Amino acid sequence: MNFLISKMCFNALQICPSFKYSLKKVKSLLLVLICNISIVSLYGCYDNSISVMIDKFDAPRFNWRTIELTESDFTDIWAIDTNNIFLLDYWEQSLHKISGGNVEHYNAGNYEMFSMVGISENEIFIFGISPLYEFVFIKWNGAGFEYFPTGVFLSEYSSNWFRGCVGNSNEVWICSQKGIAKLEGENITTYLYPDSTMTILDIFETPDNKIQIICERSMPGEYRQSLFELQDTTFTKIFDFTQPISSYFDYTYLKQLNGYKYGLTFNQNNNYGLICFKNFSGAGFSDNFCINKGISLSIPVGSNFQDLTFIAYTEESVFEHSRKGILNWNGIVLSREIELPAPGFFGDNDKIFSANANTIIVLCQGRFPVKIFVGTRK
């Protein structure tokens, strides 16, 4: 899959962002970066980075159980613990709650709903589109839905992206190339998108309570990323990074984990299949650590860089049957957690979510029945 059209994001626990979808390709689009694996020999990073070998694994650090569902077409998952797990059903336009083995359905009306984030089980914010293509904040209050139209409209219903995030219980954001909207209490404030030539990748709140946006643009011969920050009433550019386009896709992508920014490089120094994590100073990148032997990551989650859990794809003998499963990184060594089902005929649409520091929830819906894997730290 082309790295420029495939994106990898980290979920945040209490701060932005939530995951979103192309408005035309909700059912099929996976927001992942997957690299082809062709190298099994060891490659190092730069001298001051750590090279992580994956020939050996720790035993699982989580206990796992499985929930099976007959429904499908879920676009997002959220939970604060394992007592209640919420799923967003795109086609049924409803919120599902799994509690004690029972599934309850709550229809939200004629809205296309793409993603959600939560503060509590009575404060879940859904990011959706009205029949008139207007962005709408839809709040689940524990008993029903509240609706907050933004006044931001899509001009056409194709090839548009948007992101949603929540900083705290009083401030929620939707960001798109057509405009940015903030819900604070019951009040809507709109802002201009800072550069309409760039595509939104992420909107999030930093640890010092700044709202920032990561954007990208592919141009002839180069790939550009920019970081914008809300200053007073305007999103101002505070970082810009341009890289020449390489046939090996040797790019460093600006990412964030719980508001902390970092860099992610695939095929560093043209070493195909090598993934390296970078420190970000605010003005550039420096080396941190690398993972060897071509494990492809999709949507890692975690509380920090010494506690990451992710879906891994590999052609190596990491998983016995499907070559896909869950790995956990503790800053020293990977643990092989659980193998996931092989993709179905139409591919897969997996999503991983960190409910809290000790609970990981994985949604797999490439085959029937749909399966949810719940991992609880030992």
Side-chain angles (χ1 to χ4, degrees), residues 23-82:
L23 301 183
K24 192 176 182 181
K25 301 178 180 180
V26 173
K27 194 172 181 180
S28 61
L29 183 62
L30 297 177
L31 298 181
V32 298
L33 270 170
I34 300 177
C35 55
N36 295 325
I37 301 98
S38 62
I39 290 181
V40 297
S41 56
L42 176 65
Y43 289 94
C45 298
Y46 296 124
D47 292 339
N48 60 342
S49 62
I50 301 172
S51 186
V52 182
M53 296 185 65
I54 63 166
D55 295 313
K56 296 182 180 180
F57 296 88
D58 273 358
R61 300 180 181 122
F62 292 80
N63 292 314
W64 294 89
R65 62 184 177 89
T66 304
I67 301 172
E68 293 189 352
L69 299 173
T70 57
E71 297 90 346
S72 60
D73 298 312
F74 297 113
T75 61
D76 212 351
I77 187 168
W78 184 85
I80 199 168
D81 52 36
T82 60

Side-chain angles (χ1 to χ4, degrees), residues 162-176:
F162 73 98
R163 299 290 186 266
C165 77
V166 58
N168 53 64
S169 60
N170 295 315
E171 187 176 288
V172 194
W173 293 81
I174 285 179
C175 180
S176 80

